[in-house]
Amino acid sequence: MQSIMIVLFGIAGMIFGWFVYSKFIAEKIFKMDDGFITPAHELNDGVDYVPTNKVVLWGHHFTSVAGAAPIVGPAIAVYWGWVPAVLWVVLGTIFFAGVHDMGALWASTRHKGKSMGALSETVIGKRTRALFMIVVFLVLLMVNAVFGVVIANSFVANPTAVLPAWSAIIVALVIGQLLKRKIPLVPLCIVGVAVLYATIYIGSGAPISLPSELLGLTDKANWIVILFIYAAVASLLPVWMLLQPRDFINGMQLLVGLVLLYGAVFVVMPDITAPAFNTQTVVDTPSIIPLLFVTIACGAVSGFHGIVSSGTSSKQLNKESDGRFVGYLGAVGEGCLALITLVAVSGVMLAVSPEEWHEIYSHLGAGSVSAFITGGSNLISNGWGISAEIAATLLAVMVVLFAGTTMDSGVRLQRYIIQEWGDIYQLKLLKNGVIATFIAVACCLLLAFGAGGASGSGGMIIWPLFGSTNQILASLTLLVISVYLIKLGRPAKFTLIPMSFVLVMAFFAGLIKLVEYYEQGNWLLVSLDIVVLVVSVLVMLEAWSVITRLRKDNATHKQTQ
């Protein structure tokens, strides 16, 4: 029964966020204007800059930012107890993530679709741009390298997910061509989702696996190579051909999944067996503050979202007011996924008693995706009468497709960053899309196999840095938006307050991890952590000097009036 109260609390909060808070921010603070010519129209090139229907763009944005993170983060953080996790997901979505995502999209749209890294030069200064883009590139490198491992692991562990995952690409290519020929969106959506779910049903009985060893590599390593080859090709295709339709279909597939999961909660009304606040944590468990706020990133607030908002989404925005639908509602969708994940890993569908739950969650990091798939599939099976095997395949495919769309967008975003560097430093070679993509993929594979050996898991070596680095990036994105608002003479407290909170939590977490890496003798992580912390301090100092100057100028202007 407790699960329904969690769901009702979350839904009420999301409704308030969408109908009240986001409308206030969009109209009164950002002052979105449909008379403004967006980069999609001004710079329309048919490849990256393409005016897009807001529903289709929402699908792209949502599935690009979601990935597996709104499942993984909450499924881990519930170890501290479901109450703090639920509060952070709901309040973070309303007051942090929605404003962050919508703000990055709006600010980038106002500056010809520039990424947050390039935009920081215009808003703050040249030195900030160089520092900012270091953090952005590092985050993208981590996301792409690790999500390759996540998908490969899922393919090896759930071979029934392989057929539907790759079938989704074929469905997307067909839909992209039909949309280009002005075929109505609604019937295409219905047919596309139906075909995708048909392949899930077929795939549940037709597992596909690679040989355990091929060309001197394991099956997981070969999947990683295949995935990066695909991502390289996909990142060079026009967005309308694959990226938009694939992400849209995946978004619709998620909506169906959310309906099944949320509907099952109201049918089954499961009790919560996880503790509200876990008092039985193992001795070495890190403190909930600040680690909760970097463990749950996607689903509350995430710096990676700002990269997507200012990378691919801002280049496809048809009109400025669509930014609220795409940015804020994308964050709400992710918050809903994080919330139902918490229900799935906290209730009797995962563990029938508190004692059994503690056995599954024996330490921080236990459970994770496997707990979500087990709890979620049992929930769907009990609520809708679907076999547990098909339900498990459905959720496994959902995880794989989300991770895949994030990887697609991530490689494309890395290409944008490298091309922006070519633009900034007048290096013609880097402006070439093919060369920039090759460099992006080469960096990811070098990390994967150079640091990880034949397993291809090198990204996991620096992944522990992701939590604090990603949240520091979120705070820096909110900082850039805040400075831009101050320059426009508008209130900045709605972005400065969440920026300050996230920065303190992320910086504190970074320091804790720095001590941990030092004690472990992990000098690579020590070095990278120091770089991120120093860069964040320097960006803050640069921004503070600009804010101080702006305030003095405003005060002088008022005195002379």
Side-chain angles (χ1 to χ4, degrees):
M1 191 66 177
Q2 293 168 304
S3 58
I4 290 182
M5 302 308 297
I6 293 173
V7 166
L8 290 176
F9 169 72
I11 290 175
M14 305 298 180
I15 289 173
F16 165 78
W18 170 244
F19 287 103
V20 180
Y21 195 67
S22 72
K23 187 176 181 181
F24 166 74
I25 297 294
E27 294 180 357
K28 304 299 182 183
I29 307 301
F30 296 153
K31 297 182 180 179
M32 292 181 167
D33 178 15
D34 284 345
F36 178 79
I37 300 174
T38 64
H41 289 282
E42 182 184 358
L43 305 173
N44 189 346
D45 61 4
V47 178
D48 297 319
Y49 293 85
V50 180
T52 305
N53 177 288
K54 68 179 181 181
V55 179
V56 175
L57 183 55
W58 172 85
H60 153 69
H61 180 81
F62 173 39
T63 54
S64 293
V65 300
I71 295 171
V72 175
I76 291 174
V78 74
Y79 179 74
W80 284 299
W82 63 263
V83 169
V86 166
L87 288 174
W88 175 229
V89 164
V90 176
L91 298 179
T93 297
I94 298 168
F95 298 108
F96 291 71
V99 176
H100 171 277
D101 295 13
M102 179 170 60
L105 184 53
W106 164 73
S108 176
T109 300
R110 284 277 165 168
H111 293 83
K112 299 185 183 297
K114 287 183 178 180
S115 71
M116 290 309 300
L119 178 58
S120 63
E121 175 186 1
T122 305
V123 175
I124 301 176
K126 285 186 177 181
R127 284 177 295 189
T128 302
R129 176 201 66 205
L131 296 169
F132 204 110
M133 291 179 81
I134 290 172
V135 180
V136 170
F137 192 82
L138 183 60
V139 167
L140 285 172
L141 185 63
M142 284 190 279
V143 167
N144 291 335
V146 170
F147 274 33
V149 176
V150 169
I151 301 169
N153 284 339
S154 296
F155 281 162
V156 173
N158 303 282
T160 56
V162 175
L163 176 64
W166 290 103
S167 297
I169 297 170
I170 298 172
V171 172
L173 286 168
V174 172
I175 289 178
Q177 294 296 328
L178 293 176
L179 281 174
K180 194 71 173 175
R181 288 161 175 75
K182 308 299 182 185
I183 304 297
L185 178 63
V186 174
L188 283 180
C189 172
I190 294 172
V191 173
V193 172
V195 171
L196 181 60
Y197 274 90
T199 63
I200 290 174
Y201 177 76
I202 296 169
S204 64
I208 298 175
S209 301
L210 292 178
S212 57
E213 186 173 341
L214 181 66
L215 301 176
L217 296 175
T218 63
D219 49 356
K220 185 180 79 171
N222 277 305
W223 275 127
I224 291 172
V225 173
I226 292 169
L227 287 164
F228 272 110
I229 292 172
Y230 158 74
V233 174
S235 72
L236 290 169
L237 294 176
V239 290
W240 62 265
M241 186 178 292
L242 178 59
L243 188 71
Q244 288 177 352
R246 178 181 175 178
D247 291 359
F248 177 67
I249 289 298
N250 289 349
M252 295 304 103
Q253 181 251 162
L254 172 69
L255 284 180
V256 174
L258 287 177
V259 169
L260 291 175
L261 287 165
Y262 275 93
V265 171
F266 286 96
V267 173
V268 180
M269 295 188 291
D271 287 327
I272 297 298
T273 53
F277 298 92
N278 191 1
T279 58
Q280 300 181 38
T281 58
V282 296
V283 176
D284 295 331
T285 300
S287 170
I288 186 174
I289 297 176
L291 271 300
L292 171 70
F293 304 101
V294 299
T295 302
I296 300 180
C298 296
V301 64
S302 167
F304 179 72
H305 294 199
I307 305 175
V308 176
S309 292
S310 64
T312 55
S313 299
S314 63
K315 295 175 176 63
Q316 302 171 60
L317 202 66
N318 184 43
K319 56 182 181 179
E320 198 168 75
S321 63
D322 288 352
R324 176 175 169 243
F325 187 92
V326 174
Y328 197 95
L329 201 58
V332 167
E334 193 174 60
C336 289
L337 176 58
L339 186 69
I340 200 63
T341 295
L342 287 169
V343 171
V345 300
S346 301
V348 295
M349 295 304 161
L350 175 67
V352 296
S353 67
E355 292 75 21
E356 186 177 335
W357 187 91
H358 280 290
E359 287 180 14
I360 295 171
Y361 275 90
S362 58
H363 60 277
L364 183 66
S368 193
V369 174
S370 61
F372 167 73
I373 292 176
T374 301
S377 60
N378 288 336
L379 183 60
I380 291 173
S381 180
N382 281 269
W384 299 95
I386 299 171
S387 76
E389 292 77 14
I390 292 177
T393 299
L394 185 153
L395 294 179
V397 170
M398 190 166 75
V399 172
V400 168
L401 290 181
F402 277 177
T405 51
T406 300
M407 192 174 169
D408 285 2
S409 296
V411 172
R412 186 179 289 263
L413 289 163
Q414 268 190 297
R415 191 245 296 172
Y416 289 163
I417 293 295
I418 292 168
Q419 287 180 301
E420 282 184 347
W421 277 335
D423 224 18
I424 292 167
Y425 300 110
Q426 295 301 306
L427 300 172
K428 290 184 179 181
L429 198 65
L430 296 184
K431 295 181 185 180
N432 183 282
V434 175
I435 293 175
T437 300
F438 175 80
I439 293 172
V441 171
C443 288
C444 294
L445 289 174
L446 184 62
L447 173 61
F449 291 96
S455 70
S457 301
M460 305 306 295
I461 294 173
I462 65 171
W463 183 247
L465 277 175
F466 178 77
S468 56
T469 303
N470 183 52
Q471 297 305 69
I472 283 174
L473 180 58
S475 65
L476 296 182
T477 298
L478 285 166
L479 178 63
V480 172
I481 298 168
S482 300
V483 175
Y484 182 47
L485 286 171
I486 292 171
K487 282 188 171 184
L488 294 175
R490 299 177 193 172
K493 62 183 178 182
F494 302 100
T495 49
L496 279 174
I497 292 173
M499 181 277 294
S500 302
F501 178 84
V502 174
L503 180 66
V504 169
M505 293 297 119
F507 199 85
F508 186 19
L511 290 175
I512 291 174
K513 287 294 183 180
L514 182 63
V515 173
E516 181 183 318
Y517 304 146
Y518 177 79
E519 291 175 346
Q520 293 171 353
N522 192 329
W523 304 115
L524 174 62
L525 292 185
V526 167
S527 302
L528 290 175
D529 200 358
I530 289 174
V531 167
V532 172
L533 293 175
V534 170
V535 164
S536 63
V537 170
L538 292 176
V539 171
M540 290 297 299
L541 291 174
E542 289 279 338
W544 181 249
S545 67
V546 172
I547 291 173
T548 303
R549 187 178 70 249
L550 288 172
R551 285 177 173 172
K552 286 180 179 179
D553 291 344
N554 289 337
T556 304
H557 180 68
K558 287 180 181 179
Q559 291 174 357
T560 57
Q561 285 183 329

